[in-house]
Amino acid sequence: MPAVSPLRPAAVPGAAPIRHDWTTDEVEALLDLPFTELLFRAAGVHRQHFDPTEVQVSTLLSVKTGGCPEDCAYCPQAQRYHTGVEATKLMSTEAVLEKARAAKDAGASRFCMGAAWRSPKDRDIPKVAEMIREVKALGLETCATLGMLSGPQAQALKGAGLDYYNHNIDTDPEFYDAVIRTREIQDRLDTLEHVRDAGMKTCCGGIVGMGETRRQRAGFLRTLANLPAHPDSVPINRLVQVEGTPLHGTAELDPFEFVRTIAVARILMPASMVRLSAGREQMSDELQALCFAAGANSIFHGEKLLTTGNPDVAHDQALFQRLGLRAMQVAVDAPGHDHGGTVHADISAGPGAHAAGPGPGSCAAGGRV
């Protein structure tokens, strides 16, 4: 079949209309479907918008690790928890460029920079903007996850050439204060609005397996699907439990429930990239294959996913070969381009440094991306 990715079509003949008015009851009813029926429906939606044999493979570098003042219960980078993650200063532009060049040499077309901040200070923006401009000059797409942004900060990052901004809502608004108390979910929604208003693409998802109910997972997915614009990328993370965080010891989510979450995300947000994100190291090949069958078409690739482990490159390549999948390729400057195929090698900050995630609300704090 002709591939429709990486472009995101405005309309697909015969496809159901894009909706932003889902109810929690409707989403929960999808989650309640017989497993095989749900996967069948999700796979059909996937084929309407993407080549189901292609998977986007993404890259991420932490440019500032640890020391976050927030209390996200999953996050090993919160300074109040004792997890062994040491705080670092913002990397230099040249050090970031060295990692970006290595990523490009490994086949990357998009490079994401994350910092463990609640929100960047205005004085931090010119430093990050310089990184963005220099990475962009290498011919790479740029992505960042820095915490909450003001409108002017979002505009400044867009002016520097930033293509994508990640900011997760994390969970159902009804469950939010059971996980995070140092900010409101409206703070997250405000940042997403600033990013959209600045003309950048959004990456927004959350974490499942934090003790929420199925109905709360439905509320989480409904909130994402009812945003003014569906996120260009929807990372669905399976909680990685890190000793020292409050969620360490939480009952593990049923693997089939995770697959159901992936499938419903695909149905609700048919033209978005649905990213199988944190937690893959703990997933069997068979579970990952079910996720791809359910509509996941994006992963992070490499030995380290910030502060947590990730399947290594050779293993992923072997899995792709067994499943008949291939990494999505795209010309970065193609007209209408929306989704770039990128490759993540182990490009952590260097020997002895934790490959650490950004702060709360960002791309991969504490086992989430």
Side-chain angles (χ1 to χ4, degrees):
M1 62 174 284
V4 297
S5 58
L7 301 184
R8 188 172 181 179
V12 176
I18 301 292
R19 290 180 55 187
H20 299 270
D21 60 352
W22 292 92
T23 68
T24 301
D25 286 344
E26 287 179 304
V27 179
E28 189 174 25
L30 289 172
L31 286 168
D32 288 343
L33 284 172
F35 188 73
T36 52
E37 173 63 20
L38 176 58
L39 262 61
F40 177 78
R41 293 193 192 186
V45 171
H46 191 185
R47 281 159 174 75
Q48 289 176 334
H49 293 268
F50 295 98
D51 181 339
T53 66
E54 289 188 341
V55 177
Q56 179 199 34
V57 189
S58 299
T59 188
L60 175 65
L61 171 69
S62 177
V63 298
K64 193 276 177 193
T65 300
C68 183
E70 302 223 54
D71 68 349
C72 305
Y74 51 77
C75 185
Q77 299 205 75
Q79 62 185 6
R80 67 190 68 204
Y81 307 139
H82 302 289
T83 62
V85 174
E86 298 178 3
T88 67
K89 295 181 179 179
L90 186 66
M91 292 174 65
S92 69
T93 297
E94 187 50 48
V96 171
L97 282 174
E98 181 181 349
K99 304 301 182 183
R101 293 186 191 102
K104 184 177 181 181
D105 289 345
S109 63
R110 186 187 308 168
F111 191 75
C112 184
M113 294 156 277
W117 286 319
R118 170 181 166 82
S119 58
K121 295 180 174 60
D122 287 342
R123 67 172 181 265
D124 298 317
I125 295 298
K127 302 172 187 176
V128 177
E130 181 184 12
M131 294 177 187
I132 293 165
R133 284 190 294 269
E134 294 296 327
V135 170
K136 190 91 168 178
L138 297 177
L140 289 163
E141 276 192 314
T142 53
C143 172
T145 176
L146 313 170
M148 295 183 291
L149 293 181
S150 67
Q153 288 176 335
Q155 293 287 346
L157 295 176
K158 171 64 175 178
L162 189 63
D163 298 300
Y164 289 80
Y165 195 80
N166 168 268
H167 202 64
N168 290 336
I169 64 167
D170 280 352
T171 190
D172 177 25
E174 299 293 326
F175 188 65
Y176 188 85
D177 64 2
V179 179
I180 303 162
R181 294 182 179 273
T182 49
R183 76 165 84 177
E184 304 291 332
I185 195 165
Q186 187 59 49
D187 296 325
R188 296 183 184 270
L189 299 176
D190 290 345
T191 288
L192 291 169
E193 182 177 7
H194 296 325
V195 170
R196 289 191 301 268
D197 288 348
M200 289 184 284
K201 299 178 178 69
T202 58
C203 174
C204 183
I207 313 170
V208 294
M210 297 193 291
E212 75 284 350
T213 64
R214 178 179 281 187
R215 185 166 180 82
Q216 288 166 334
R217 277 188 289 282
F220 156 62
L221 292 168
R222 177 196 60 80
T223 302
L224 287 173
N226 288 352
L227 289 170
H230 289 168
D232 295 271
S233 179
V234 181
I236 305 295
N237 299 273
R238 190 183 187 199
L239 176 68
V240 176
Q241 299 188 29
V242 178
E243 188 172 357
T245 61
L247 287 179
H248 183 253
T250 301
E252 187 171 309
L253 184 70
D254 184 324
F256 293 125
E257 191 70 15
F258 183 79
V259 179
R260 287 178 181 274
T261 306
I262 293 287
V264 173
R266 170 53 64 209
I267 292 170
L268 300 185
M269 294 165 281
S272 301
M273 305 298 295
V274 175
R275 179 172 296 145
L276 178 58
S277 293
R280 280 204 309 123
E281 188 181 36
Q282 290 76 37
M283 296 181 194
S284 67
D285 288 352
E286 294 80 4
L287 177 54
Q288 292 185 66
L290 277 175
C291 290
F292 294 133
N297 63 340
S298 179
I299 63 169
F300 274 93
H301 193 106
E303 297 176 357
K304 200 77 171 176
L305 183 58
L306 304 178
T307 57
T308 58
N310 202 42
D312 64 28
V313 173
H315 185 95
D316 283 337
Q317 290 173 340
L319 179 60
F320 275 27
Q321 185 173 17
R322 291 169 67 196
L323 298 178
L325 300 175
R326 62 181 181 272
M328 184 182 292
Q329 301 298 318
V330 63
V332 171
D333 296 324
H337 164 255
D338 235 350
H339 304 299
T342 60
V343 178
H344 175 267
D346 185 7
I347 51 172
S348 56
H354 291 275
S362 24
C363 199
R368 68 192 176 107
V369 181

